[in-house]
Amino acid sequence: AQKVTQAQTEISVVEKEDVTLDCVYETRDTTYYLFWYKQPPSGELVFLIRRNSFDEQNEISGRYSWNFQKSTSSFNFTITASQVVDSAVYFCALSEVSGSARQLTFGSGTQLTVLP
Amino acid sequence: EAQVTQNPRYLITVTGKKLTVTCSQNMNHEYMSWYRQDPGLGLRQIYYSMNVEVTDKGDVPEGYKVSRKEKRNFPLILESPSPNQTSLYFCASSYKGSRILNTEAFFGQGTRLTVV
């Protein structure tokens, strides 16, 4: 089973629409971290946010907001009033201690296209 | 400027010809790792290193080697590349954390490798 599932492969919206990118994770650890990264068309990976498993407060940063719900093992990302520059692939990732491995596990990504 | 530098950015090679992709970071990070990115699969970890002379396999280590002789460098070696190793490769570094990766990972610009 995938540890990080991003079920939405591609999403297309028109500029100024709100859009939510879903992330569902799986872990048996009680301590873990969740991340979101953005990969614009230029290809680099840009860190957006980190959340630890003990902090369920939602976070807002400008037009970006994140909803962390342990009860549903989800860490969803919402872009309000989307812009063309938001077009990118967005990755959700999980950091956990599993056995002796400390790894960062990524979801398969969601390609967001914002149309003008 | 804090950065992770990968070289080369683009590489086309032939099956069986050994190659090395270099990765260097200037942030004194203990943890470094290699990922490959393939369409629909997201980023999958190849190898990681907790510190100098400490390396371990990720999820897809077959066909790859790494070494960590110095803290700043973490080269990826393909002893006998095959076409199924055609991919986009990323090197990343971060602070190790006491038990878990709890800080953002800094990524290199990526290396697009084509094996013909």
Side-chain angles (χ1 to χ4, degrees), chain B residues 8-15 17 19 112-116:
Chain B
R9 294 288 310 278
Y10 302 91
L11 179 60
I12 301 175
T13 190
V14 296
T15 299
K17 185 177 181 182
L19 66 91
R112 187 164 291 283
L113 172 66
T114 302
V115 183
V116 298

Side-chain angles (χ1 to χ4, degrees), chain B:
Chain B
E1 180 191 353
Q3 59 184 6
V4 177
T5 303
Q6 288 179 234
N7 279 297
R9 294 288 310 278
Y10 302 91
L11 179 60
I12 301 175
T13 190
V14 296
T15 299
K17 185 177 181 182
K18 181 179 178 180
L19 66 91
T20 298
V21 183
T22 63
C23 174
S24 181
Q25 51 94 2
N26 62 1
M27 295 166 279
N28 204 36
H29 285 161
E30 302 92 349
Y31 185 92
M32 297 185 74
S33 60
W34 277 101
Y35 297 86
R36 60 178 288 173
Q37 182 180 359
D38 301 290
L41 297 176
L43 282 82
R44 294 178 294 167
Q45 191 175 52
I46 303 170
Y47 269 95
Y48 63 96
S49 170
M50 295 294 188
N51 216 324
V52 175
E53 302 292 2
V54 181
T55 63
D56 212 340
K57 296 177 181 178
D59 295 320
V60 288
E62 295 77 20
Y64 304 94
K65 284 176 57 177
V66 293
S67 69
R68 188 88 182 275
K69 293 185 170 57
E70 304 165 283
K71 198 171 188 179
R72 63 183 294 125
N73 296 324
F74 190 45
L76 179 69
I77 303 156
L78 284 73
E79 294 266 359
S80 183
S82 62
N84 64 13
Q85 292 178 298
T86 292
S87 188
L88 177 60
Y89 291 87
F90 286 98
C91 178
S93 75
S94 67
Y95 289 107
K96 185 176 64 176
S98 58
R99 293 175 60 242
I100 190 172
L101 297 177
N102 57 6
T103 62
E104 66 179 279
F106 291 81
F107 286 84
Q109 317 96 303
T111 296
R112 187 164 291 283
L113 172 66
T114 302
V115 183
V116 298

Side-chain angles (χ1 to χ4, degrees), chain A residues 19-80:
Chain A
V19 58
T20 296
L21 309 183
D22 298 333
C23 174
V24 175
Y25 62 92
E26 178 187 329
T27 180
R28 280 179 278 190
D29 291 354
T30 54
T31 302
Y32 53 90
Y33 283 78
L34 294 160
F35 302 81
W36 276 94
Y37 286 86
K38 174 182 179 180
Q39 186 178 42
S42 51
E44 73 274 20
L45 283 153
V46 179
F47 166 77
L48 294 177
I49 192 171
R50 174 193 67 179
R51 173 68 67 212
N52 75 57
S53 53
F54 298 106
D55 181 3
E56 287 195 71
Q57 282 190 355
N58 292 331
E59 181 153 342
I60 299 174
S61 176
R63 296 184 296 107
Y64 294 172
S65 63
W66 290 268
N67 183 358
F68 176 34
Q69 292 197 339
K70 287 178 76 170
S71 60
T72 56
S73 296
S74 65
F75 186 41
N76 297 337
F77 172 31
T78 297
I79 302 174
T80 303

